[in-house]
Each structure stands twice: as C-alpha cells, then as structure tokens.
Amino acid sequence: MAGVSSCMKYSMFIFNFLFWVCGSIILGVSIWIRVSKDAQQVNVCDSSLFAGVDLLIAVGSIIMVLGFLGCCGAVKESRCMLLLFFIGLLLILILQITGGILGAVYRSQIETSLNKTLVESVNSLQSSTEESKKFQEKFQKFERMNQCCGLLNGPADWGKNFNSPFGSKVCACELKSPSCTIFQGRYVYKTPCGEVIIEYLEDHLLIIMGIAFGLAVIEILGLGFSMSLYCQIQRK
C-alpha cells in the first residue's frame, strides 16, 4: 500500500510540475500574441477583439498557481491543498466548456459585432475630426505594414479624404507590384485591410482552440490523479 501511495504521490508531483510548465507556456504564448507587432496593428481598430487572449493570460496565471498547489499537496500529502487543486481545476474546466458552448451559440453575434466595428472604423476613415485624424495616421501605418487599403471596400473607404492633402499617400504602393491596382489614377493596394484582420484573428483562433483542447485533456487527467491521491491519503 505504501509503495502504491509513494508511486501515486510522485506521479502526481511530476504531473503537476508539467501542468505548471503548461501554464507557463500558455501564459507566454498568450502574452506573445497580445503584444506582437501584428496584434498592436490590429488593435488600432478595436482592443475588444483580444478578449479571448486576455482570458488565456488569466487562465495561464491561474494554472501556474494550481500547479504549484498540486506539487505541494502531492509532496506534503496535504488533503487541503489537493482539494483546493481539484476544485480550482474543476472550475476552470467548467468555464472552458461554458466558454466553448457560448462561443459556438453566439458565433453569429460575434461576427456581427466584428463587422459593426469595421463599419465604425470606415466612418472614422471618412471623418475629418481631430480624433479621426489620429486614427487615420495609425491606420496608414497598418496599411503600409500589411500592404492593404481601406477596411471593407478598399480605397473607397477613405471617401473624400482619399484625395485630400492628408490622404495624398494613402494606400500608395510601388508600380507594377502584383498587390497593386489603379484607383482614381493612383496605384494603391487592392486587398482590403478587413481581410487581413480577419485572417489574423482566424489564424490565432486556431492556436487558442488547440491550447484550450489540449488543456482540457490535461485537466481531466489532473482531476483523476488528484482525487486518487486524495482518497489514498484519506485511507491511510
């Protein structure tokens, strides 16, 4: 019985150490996605687009704490720490499942909200207020960085500002480049920036979904390990 308990204890410790490492990786990857140059460029339109990444940062931090609790609980054979680890892990798993279900159910609303954000940003491109001009300056940097123009309808999104002195270099691209087209006698990028933003979000959504799925499997194993060790300590 002691041999089985010792084996289970050290298995639990190793598992929780790996769990802590997973939390560190999730936290690191999430922060990288959040502060990357592309993210800062996309953030020009709407910071709320990164709510899922912010959530992963929080989850990664919590997992690191839970991994530490699990390691200590396994080594010291502390039922209290193991129970806290189990409850915390169960709550995270429930939140993940709930988030996944809500994301699937409200997917159309999320897409509608994104389109609404893009339309509002188009209005800012056509506006002449001081606040809009600051947005336009940032957005021009985004256009040059990603070789795109406008948000939904290409250069037409700039409206009258396209031919204003301020917009003289809007969407300007090199001659004979395959990414260029002619609009009102000027060579401009033909790809709308809305497509670039959506592609960026979809690519990183796959990363987030992969992390969440792998994490769910690890969490289920963790629940089993912690409850088994908890029961063994209780029987001693």
Side-chain angles (χ1 to χ4, degrees):
M1 182 70 180
V4 174
S5 179
S6 178
C7 179
M8 178 63 73
K9 180 172 73 173
Y10 289 111
S11 295
M12 181 68 181
F13 174 81
I14 292 170
F15 173 83
N16 279 288
F17 177 73
L18 293 175
F19 191 64
W20 180 86
V21 171
C22 285
S24 302
I25 292 171
I26 291 169
L27 182 62
V29 171
S30 301
I31 292 174
W32 169 73
I33 291 174
R34 192 68 176 82
V35 303
S36 66
K37 187 179 292 185
D38 289 339
Q40 295 307 310
Q41 296 290 336
V42 172
N43 198 38
V44 167
C45 293
D46 188 7
S47 59
S48 65
L49 297 175
F50 295 96
V53 179
D54 294 336
L55 180 61
L56 271 182
I57 291 173
V59 169
S61 302
I62 293 170
I63 285 172
M64 289 180 69
V65 174
L66 287 177
F68 176 76
L69 275 176
C71 285
C72 292
V75 171
K76 295 184 177 182
E77 297 189 6
S78 169
R79 291 172 58 199
C80 179
M81 285 186 175
L82 286 172
L83 189 59
L84 284 173
F85 173 79
F86 180 87
I87 292 171
L89 209 54
L90 183 61
L91 287 174
I92 288 179
L93 185 60
I94 291 171
L95 286 173
Q96 278 181 242
I97 294 171
T98 303
I101 293 172
L102 289 175
V105 171
Y106 293 103
R107 182 177 177 180
S108 59
Q109 285 91 329
I110 293 171
E111 291 175 351
T112 301
S113 176
L114 176 58
N115 289 331
K116 182 181 178 182
T117 299
L118 293 177
V119 169
E120 289 174 354
S121 297
V122 168
N123 293 333
S124 296
L125 292 180
Q126 298 176 359
S127 177
S128 57
T129 63
E130 287 301 317
E131 185 178 350
S132 295
K133 286 180 179 178
K134 291 179 181 178
F135 170 78
Q136 290 163 12
E137 288 176 1
K138 292 180 180 179
F139 190 72
Q140 283 190 67
K141 294 179 182 177
F142 178 82
E143 288 179 323
R144 289 192 293 271
M145 179 76 67
N146 295 277
Q147 297 188 349
C148 59
C149 184
L151 279 164
L152 300 173
N153 304 301
D157 288 338
W158 283 90
K160 294 180 180 179
N161 286 333
F162 184 79
N163 290 314
S164 67
F166 174 80
S168 59
K169 294 184 178 180
V170 166
C171 306
C173 67
E174 296 178 5
L175 300 179
K176 298 181 180 179
S177 171
S179 59
C180 294
T181 187
I182 297 177
F183 181 79
Q184 295 186 9
R186 285 162 50 185
Y187 282 94
V188 296
Y189 295 116
K190 61 184 178 183
T191 303
C193 293
E195 293 181 9
V196 175
I197 293 171
I198 291 171
E199 183 180 357
Y200 173 87
L201 294 175
E202 287 177 346
D203 288 346
H204 287 80
L205 182 61
L206 289 175
I207 295 174
I208 293 171
M209 288 175 63
I211 291 173
F213 179 77
L215 186 59
V217 174
I218 294 171
E219 286 166 351
I220 292 170
L221 290 173
L223 290 172
F225 267 117
S226 59
M227 188 49 62
S228 297
L229 185 57
Y230 179 87
C231 293
Q232 285 197 16
I233 294 171
Q234 190 176 31
R235 287 197 295 266
K236 287 179 68 176

